[in-house]
Amino acid sequence: MKFFVDTADIDAIKELHALGMVDGVTTNPSLIAKSGRDILEVTKEICDIVSGPVSAEVVALDAETMLAEGRKLAKIAPNIAVKVPLTWAGLQTCKTLTDEGTMVNVTLCFSANQALLAAKAGATFISPFVGRLDDINIDGMELIGDIRTIYDNYGFDTQILVASIRTANHMKDAALIGADVATAPPAVIKGMASHILTDKGLDGFMADVKKAGIKIL
């Protein structure tokens, strides 16, 4: 499963990229706003760091303007994936951009039917939001399983990009189901290394090291 980092924080991207933990980056208007920087400028900088897909989202709601924005975003770098919402206008934009050879990430997916439409429209990625479904007491991972089954049934090339990930368990469950990609905030990815028994075991080792006066350097 590929790891995308869901942030516009350049320092966080560089840290994870240095460890080989970044296969791509996803951004959205909210993350860009948090960065306090121009969308084109920060997106270009991210593309210079990461060779994998970098999702940059349109902000228009109608197909004509979405398409114009998508074409402008696609010119930033060859690894841009234009991010469009799962609306009828978004699907129209997806089809046109895909036909033009641009990667497209269809976002804000909350049903298997929506994911099926995105695949038919030629989406490179479909982004189902598991955390937001969990918030309303719907099992987000059940949706990932449904999409995986449908895509496998018919051989769709669209990659399942699990989004709105909140916990390390979301990452594990996405991998078990067979998601192609999981995008998560830096803190979630780093948190996957944590386990209370690891901490407990390390405390024991260090106590023994101190008691025995063990030194390596």
Side-chain angles (χ1 to χ4, degrees):
M1 185 175 70
K2 287 176 281 190
F3 282 20
F4 286 6
V5 60
D6 193 36
T7 187
D9 184 327
I10 297 297
D11 289 338
I13 293 169
K14 286 181 176 178
E15 179 187 4
L16 289 169
H17 184 262
L19 287 173
M21 299 295 176
V22 178
D23 299 298
V25 174
T26 54
T27 68
N28 59 47
S30 298
L31 293 173
I32 296 294
K34 286 180 182 178
S35 77
R37 299 176 59 190
D38 175 75
I39 182 173
L40 301 180
E41 176 187 274
V42 70
T43 303
K44 177 65 169 65
E45 188 170 353
I46 292 170
C47 289
D48 289 341
I49 298 167
V50 178
S51 60
V54 175
S55 289
E57 189 165 350
V58 300
V59 296
L61 297 178
D62 65 285
E64 182 179 355
T65 313
M66 272 191 204
L67 183 57
E69 290 178 350
R71 285 170 172 160
K72 184 172 182 177
L73 291 171
K75 290 179 181 178
I76 294 173
N79 55 328
I80 285 288
V82 175
K83 202 172 181 183
V84 300
L86 214 160
T87 61
W88 201 249
L91 292 172
Q92 291 173 312
T93 304
C94 173
K95 180 65 167 68
T96 301
L97 289 174
T98 297
D99 288 347
E100 292 175 356
T102 298
M103 290 187 292
V104 179
N105 178 357
V106 180
T107 190
L108 290 171
C109 172
F110 294 97
S111 77
N113 278 336
Q114 289 180 317
L116 181 54
L117 289 174
K120 295 288 285 184
T124 312
F125 303 101
I126 182 67
S127 290
F129 278 40
V130 296
R132 294 195 192 182
L133 284 171
D134 289 350
D135 289 344
I136 59 171
N137 297 316
I138 296 175
D139 186 351
M141 284 301 164
E142 184 176 331
L143 172 60
I144 304 305
D146 288 346
I147 297 172
R148 180 77 280 160
T149 297
I150 290 170
Y151 282 11
D152 288 348
N153 281 348
Y154 301 104
F156 286 118
D157 293 328
T158 300
Q159 296 181 52
I160 301 172
L161 195 168
V162 183
S164 186
I165 284 181
R166 308 276 177 78
T167 67
N169 278 341
H170 277 157
M171 296 291 284
K172 176 200 70 176
D173 292 342
L176 284 171
I177 291 169
D180 301 288
V181 188
T183 187
V188 171
I189 294 175
K190 293 173 74 172
M192 293 172 69
S194 298
H195 197 288
I196 189 171
L197 293 180
T198 301
D199 296 338
K200 185 176 180 180
L202 189 56
D203 288 343
F205 292 157
M206 295 311 296
D208 290 340
V209 166
K210 184 177 180 180
K211 183 177 179 180
I214 297 172
K215 292 183 180 180
I216 296 177
L217 296 177

